[in-house]
Every structure is written in structure tokens, then in C-alpha cells.
Amino acid sequence: MTSRNKCTKSGSIVCEMMSNEEISGAKVVYSVAPALGHNMEQHPESSLRVPAIVTTLEKMHLTPKFRGSEIIQLQNFRTATVEDIASVHSRSYVSNLEKAMEWASEEGVVSINSSGDTYATATTFEESLIAAGAGLSVVDSVVEASKVSKKPPVGFALIRPPGHHAIAEGPLGFCIFGNVAVAARYAQRVHGLKRVFIIDFDVHHGNGTNDVFYDDPDIFFLSTHQDGSFPGTGKIDDIGCGSGEGATLNLPLPEGTGDIGMRTIFDQVIAPSAQRFKPDIILVSAGYDAHVLDPLAYFQFTTGTYYMLASSIKQLANDLCGGRCVFFLEGGYNLKSLSNSVAETFRAFIDEPSIAAELDDDLGCLYDEPSTKVKEAIQKVKHLHYL
Ligand SMILES: [Zn+2]
């Protein structure tokens, strides 16, 4: 059982318990964990991000208020436990972070990694557990719904802090706990879903997720990212090790890679990899910083690219794993392109036509994609992975 929204006369939202059957009739189930206390002035990974997305979803009528039972927002979700987190991270990291909260509450904001890019405030530990838990609850809803429906809703955890850079021993690159990695282990442990396919289309390499599952044959990690961008890992030859060899696919791509390149990559690399792997569930590190307007990197995804990805991945999940698919918010630092692209993702999930052409009409900055270099990278990765 989980909860649903109901509008009261006063316009406020209340929760009601909701059955799996009711959730299974929805097209999207999402949770919102904005971590409002985890914030640093002028930092791109700010507490403005999730509220900006929620406001845009409302403005575009993509919330339960406007869509009835088609779109469900989980109101009551669990907080991740230390046990959940410890399936991916060391216990010493978890306890040190908890201890650092006292220091953070004295200082306001503190830097918690040596490179100084990742901060913590007094609420970071608690809000990071809430974020990870909000992801796990969406996994629960999607998996339970898939037991009574061949087309369960797609899940989306609108959460922060993000997770895919965090390593076993500590935080990195704005990330605290590896939300996707924790969810992958949880899907295996709690739901008995053995084979997990993770797609990471954030513009940066998901080094944390990569490392956790590098020798694991049951969790396939596929990352597309800008070659040479933070943190500099994810070379094309990094394909996993031991019995996990071949279950990691890294596709570094040149600056300027955009919509045309990504469509080809979906058809020639992502879909065939997933088809061959035969997953029980697909999890997605959904980073919106590959958008051409994003300030932190140099890809040229458009809002339409994100619609294509959402629609194609949803179809892949329907074809391969009973529709079980959950997106997790990672990067995306231009609030407008982030919000519009998440809205397009929702539109794809509910089978509504894209309005990307309208949203992208100010993209005069687009230039020709480096198609020869992209093709070469695709050929090389296909050769390495026998695709
Ligand atoms: Zn990123």
C-alpha cells in the first residue's frame, strides 16, 4: 500500500492509502525529496533545483492535481536505513558523515571532500537518507504494480543530493550517497530482481556506480559522458573485471555530441546491450546536464533528446522487463532546461506528444555535431562489446 493525493476543498493536498492495483493503472509514479536544508550559496547543486522542476510540472499540468490517477506522487515514502546505504558505502563513511553534522551545524556549510566541490550542511545526512529512501519507495511501487499489470507506471525519484559520483568510501562531485547503486542492491535483496541494467546519461561519468559494480556480472552499468569531463574516468576500455567483464560499458563522447548522436547511440548501443543482458529492472541515472544550455559541460542535447530517451527507455523496459523502470535525478544545473527536460520526460511517460520544438525554439546556439568522432566512438564500443 502506498499513498495518493487528494485535493480538499481548501485546495491542499492530503494523502489516502492506495492499493497496488490503483498504482498499476498509473503511467508515472514519482517522489519528491528536495533537500531544502542542503544548500550552498552560489553552488550549482542548490536547493532551487527540485522546486524548479515541481513548479514547471505544475505549470505544465503534469501533476496529480491535473492528471487524476494517471500521475501519482508518493506522499509517504520511507527513509533509507544505514543498512540500505551500507550495501554500497562503507560504514565508516556513513558514521563519519553523521558525525560531521555537528561541525556543519556550527559552521553552516562545510566542504566534505578534498577537492572541495562537495559540501554539507547540518541537514545533509538526514536529507541524503531521505533522498535515497524516496528512490527505494518508488522502486517498491513500480515493482509491486508490475505484479498486477504488464504496463506498470514508470518511476521517477525527483531527489537530491545526487548520487552517481559518490564512491564507497566517501562523497564526490556534489554527490553524497549513490542513490541508484543503493536502489540496485535493494531491488536484488528485497524484490529478488537479480539482473539490473543501469543507464547513466548524465553528461559526467557515473564513476561511483561504475566502481561499485565493476566486477558484478548481474548489474550492467552503461554510461554515456563527455570525454575528459569530471571526474576524468570512464574510458572506453573500462569494461568491468573478473566475472563482471563486459557488464560495464563506458562510452566517452566528444564535446558537441547532441540529439543525432544520442539517437544513434540508443539504437546501436543502449538497446542491443539491454536486449542481450535481459534485465529484470532498468534503473536510470537521469542527468540533465547534457543539455546544450547547461553551464557545466559541453554536450548539445535538446529538450527533445530527453523526450526521446524517456520514451525509448520506457519502451525498452516494456519489451524486456515487464515495464519495471525507475529514473533517478542526477545533474542538471540550468533550472530552465532542467525543468523543461524533466517535464518532457513525464510527457513521454504518459504517451503525450512532445512539445520540445516549442520549448527549444531559442536554441540558436546549436552547431554541427562532431559526427565522425561520434561514429568512431560508437564503432569502437560496438567492437569491444561484440554488439
Ligand atoms: Zn553531471
Side-chain angles (χ1 to χ4, degrees):
M1 298 287 277
T2 180
S3 59
R4 72 173 157 192
N5 300 329
K6 189 182 180 190
C7 292
T8 62
K9 277 179 193 161
S10 63
S12 63
I13 303 288
V14 296
C15 305
E16 276 186 0
M17 294 313 285
M18 190 169 196
S19 70
N20 294 333
E21 283 76 12
E22 287 172 290
I23 286 193
S24 67
K27 291 184 172 172
V28 183
V29 56
Y30 70 106
S31 58
V32 177
L36 298 176
H38 177 78
N39 187 47
M40 182 176 178
E41 201 91 2
Q42 305 297 323
H43 196 288
E45 208 295 287
S46 82
S47 63
L48 297 173
R49 296 177 66 232
V50 171
I53 294 169
V54 171
T55 302
T56 297
L57 291 175
E58 276 166 11
K59 207 172 77 191
M60 293 186 172
H61 293 194
L62 293 166
T63 57
K65 185 177 162 192
F66 301 100
R67 298 289 176 158
S69 55
E70 199 173 36
I71 297 179
I72 292 174
Q73 181 183 350
L74 293 183
Q75 295 291 338
N76 299 320
F77 47 80
R78 63 194 289 267
T79 298
T81 63
V82 169
E83 291 305 309
D84 294 322
I85 303 299
S87 66
V88 166
H89 296 283
S90 70
R91 285 178 187 276
S92 59
Y93 165 38
V94 179
S95 61
N96 286 340
L97 182 69
E98 188 174 16
K99 282 180 209 145
M101 293 301 95
E102 207 172 306
W103 170 48
S105 58
E106 281 164 18
E107 300 287 327
V109 187
V110 294
S111 169
I112 51 168
N113 70 334
S114 53
S115 56
D117 58 11
T118 311
Y119 65 87
T121 66
T123 58
T124 295
F125 182 70
E126 183 59 25
E127 289 185 314
S128 298
L129 291 176
I130 291 170
L136 301 183
S137 290
V138 175
V139 170
D140 287 339
S141 294
V142 169
V143 174
E144 290 304 323
S146 76
K147 292 175 183 169
V148 291
S149 168
K150 286 199 172 72
K151 286 195 174 175
V154 185
F156 204 143
L158 292 173
I159 58 179
R160 58 177 289 279
H164 72 153
H165 293 309
I167 57 172
E169 301 294 334
L172 187 74
F174 318 165
C175 297
I176 306 294
F177 296 142
N179 303 311
V180 162
V182 168
R185 284 286 182 238
Y186 178 84
Q188 290 182 315
R189 190 175 74 249
V190 174
H191 293 291
L193 299 172
K194 188 177 175 213
R195 296 172 72 75
V196 183
F197 192 84
I198 302 175
I199 301 167
D200 185 328
F201 59 65
D202 188 280
V203 76
H204 303 102
H205 179 234
N207 62 292
T209 321
N210 178 103
D211 293 357
V212 175
F213 304 126
Y214 206 60
D215 60 356
D216 190 333
D218 292 326
I219 299 190
F220 195 108
F221 177 67
L222 189 157
S223 175
T224 54
H225 44 272
Q226 186 190 321
D227 196 5
S229 68
F230 181 88
T233 50
K235 300 300 175 202
I236 203 161
D237 299 320
D238 296 342
I239 61 166
C241 69
S243 57
E245 192 173 307
T248 296
L249 187 153
N250 282 302
L251 181 50
L253 294 155
E255 269 184 41
T257 298
D259 192 72
I260 299 167
M262 203 56 194
R263 282 173 197 268
T264 313
I265 289 160
F266 187 86
D267 292 341
Q268 297 192 13
V269 179
I270 299 176
S273 298
Q275 282 153 2
R276 192 173 60 190
F277 183 71
K278 297 188 175 59
D280 297 313
I281 186 168
I282 296 175
L283 305 181
V284 181
S285 266
Y288 292 87
D289 45 6
H291 195 284
V292 64
L293 295 181
D294 195 275
L296 295 198
Y298 302 97
F299 267 10
Q300 296 193 86
F301 286 17
T302 62
T303 314
T305 313
Y306 286 108
Y307 182 93
M308 177 279 294
L309 282 169
S311 161
S312 306
I313 292 170
K314 175 187 167 176
Q315 187 59 48
L316 204 55
N318 281 332
D319 293 343
L320 300 179
C321 51
R324 288 183 289 272
C325 180
V326 180
F327 280 49
F328 295 74
L329 181 66
E330 298 282 2
Y333 305 102
N334 174 309
L335 296 181
K336 186 179 164 207
S337 63
L338 166 66
S339 305
N340 283 342
S341 300
V342 173
E344 278 291 285
T345 302
F346 270 48
R347 249 181 227 108
F349 292 163
I350 62 171
D351 306 308
E352 196 153 285
S354 169
I355 60 160
E358 208 179 293
L359 298 169
D360 286 340
D361 69 351
D362 58 348
L363 297 185
C365 51
L366 291 170
Y367 57 93
D368 284 347
E369 293 182 33
S371 53
T372 308
K373 281 186 181 172
V374 172
K375 269 186 207 150
E376 283 168 6
I378 293 173
Q379 284 316 315
K380 185 159 185 203
V381 90
K382 283 171 73 173
H383 177 71
L384 273 168
H385 289 268
Y386 309 104
L387 291 169

